[in-house]
Amino acid sequence: MEPGEYAPVPGCADLYYLDTDMYDTANYGSVYLLDAERPAVIDTGLGTNREFLFDALDDLGMTPEFILPTHVHLDHAGGAGFLAERYPDATVMIHESAVEHLVDPGRLVAGTKAAVGDQWRFYVEPEPIPEERIESLSGGETIDLGDRDLDVHYAPGHAPHQVVFHDPGDDVVFTADAAGIYVPQLDAIEQTSPPSQFDLHGCQEDADMIRDIDPRYLCFGHFGPREFDDDMLAGYKRTLAEWVEAVRRRRESLDDDEAVLDHFAEHAPQELIDVWGERKAREEQRMNTRGVLGYLDYMEERDETI
């Protein structure tokens, strides 16, 4: 798929996915357009290429009633304020712990800059959303889209403000980052462990929650749809554990966190360099390593084993 293009999700009624060209990287960031009786946009991208999203909505003749960021990380919620401004009758729904960050994004922006480093150049300052436009979620709710429902499941491993949505009609789960990063060119799932609230065991529990739903399709925030495969998600749990262990061992051998970050950036997998390009692949490794180092610090402070 080319940047800015959208396509139907196979086997699903009136559901489309859009490539937002996130970080100037094709096939990395997805936004989902659900043309239900009461239309919804699931995730919103960085907001940088919001004209791609606006054009797709216009082309489909959609006027969203719901704006549904799966969590408040700006690669998923950065465009929410721009959408809310363009569609003044739409309701924004997000986990209750994230509402304040949509209303006043200052702390969120500062935390994002610290987490993503040089990648901030691809972001745009998010537009604040009036609190009265936002409804909070905690998990367990059902969102009525008229001709279909979305069930809300709390998934705090990647971030404590993350939810995933399940459309039981088409039996699709919108995974947010709870099932990792799907790379369609490789038909593989890569780890995502950004700072500052990555939790290994929580991420593994979230993967199990999705496995228990046992849907037909997964719609990844990164990137695109894929038929559900229980073995693939079980493998993702192992990938996460092996990734954390690799960072832990490298920290022990180098005893310098900057050297650890440099090591994993320099040794980004060649297959990811081939798909995403050298810049994005190395920056992704650096960010994910930083998240694991923070998690290891947290576990040490609590005197807990991994």
Side-chain angles (χ1 to χ4, degrees):
M1 180 182 291
E2 294 296 318
E5 290 185 349
Y6 69 91
V9 174
C12 300
D14 301 317
L15 176 61
Y16 305 86
Y17 68 109
L18 169 73
D19 181 353
T20 66
D21 198 30
M22 190 176 291
Y23 306 113
D24 286 353
T25 302
N27 298 172
Y28 183 85
S30 310
V31 170
Y32 291 92
L33 313 175
L34 186 48
D35 195 11
E37 184 178 319
R38 305 175 70 192
V41 175
I42 299 173
D43 282 333
T44 67
L46 293 170
T48 310
N49 294 328
R50 54 191 178 275
E51 67 276 4
F52 292 162
L53 178 52
F54 295 164
D55 289 349
L57 289 168
D58 289 345
D59 193 51
L60 290 167
M62 281 181 60
T63 300
E65 289 193 34
F66 296 98
I67 299 167
L68 304 174
T70 55
H71 55 302
V72 82
H73 288 167
L74 288 178
D75 55 335
H76 295 259
F82 299 105
L83 269 177
E85 186 176 57
R86 192 174 199 249
Y87 300 101
D89 294 326
T91 299
V92 181
M93 304 183 79
I94 198 165
H95 188 263
E96 57 193 4
S97 65
V99 171
E100 62 178 308
H101 297 296
L102 293 185
V103 174
D104 181 2
R107 285 174 50 217
L108 175 62
V109 167
T112 302
K113 288 179 177 179
V116 303
D118 290 343
Q119 292 189 94
W120 178 255
R121 65 191 182 277
F122 297 107
Y123 288 69
V124 64
E125 293 279 343
E127 190 72 18
I129 302 173
E131 190 167 3
E132 61 270 17
R133 297 281 308 278
I134 305 172
E135 291 187 14
S136 64
L137 301 168
S138 59
E141 299 89 350
T142 295
I143 302 171
D144 178 10
L145 301 185
D147 57 348
R148 70 191 74 193
D149 294 328
L150 289 178
D151 295 330
V152 182
H153 297 264
Y154 188 40
H158 177 78
H161 40 73
Q162 180 177 251
V163 299
V164 303
F165 300 108
H166 178 218
D167 175 353
D170 278 332
D171 203 13
V172 177
V173 167
F174 300 89
T175 67
D177 287 332
I181 294 179
Y182 178 60
V183 186
Q185 298 93 326
L186 305 175
D187 192 30
I189 297 178
E190 296 293 326
Q191 73 273 357
T192 176
S193 57
S196 60
Q197 295 163 317
F198 165 73
D199 177 350
L200 169 62
H201 299 302
C203 286
Q204 292 175 322
E205 289 171 359
D206 292 344
D208 283 337
M209 178 265 292
I210 294 173
R211 295 170 69 196
D212 288 343
I213 294 173
D214 191 26
R216 288 196 308 144
Y217 289 97
L218 300 178
C219 284
F220 289 85
H222 312 279
F223 170 84
R226 191 197 188 281
E227 290 184 7
F228 173 71
D229 183 334
D230 185 72
D231 289 341
M232 180 175 275
L233 273 194
Y236 178 56
K237 290 178 62 180
R238 293 191 296 272
T239 294
L240 281 171
E242 291 165 359
W243 167 238
V244 170
E245 179 62 12
V247 174
R248 186 189 68 80
R249 289 185 176 183
R250 185 59 57 176
R251 179 188 242 184
E252 283 185 352
S253 68
L254 293 177
D255 199 29
D256 178 89
D257 282 357
E258 284 303 315
V260 176
L261 293 169
D262 289 344
H263 169 82
F264 284 102
E266 291 167 5
H267 293 84
Q270 184 61 48
E271 61 267 25
L272 293 182
I273 293 175
D274 293 341
V275 171
W276 294 336
E278 184 172 347
R279 170 192 51 78
K280 178 55 184 168
R282 297 195 191 284
E283 288 175 340
E284 187 83 11
Q285 286 292 98
R286 183 177 296 275
M287 180 178 66
N288 284 331
T289 304
R290 187 178 290 114
V292 174
L293 291 172
Y295 169 71
L296 294 172
D297 288 341
Y298 171 77
M299 295 297 284
E300 183 177 349
E301 289 171 5
R302 294 171 59 93
D303 196 26
E304 294 185 14
T305 57
I306 299 173

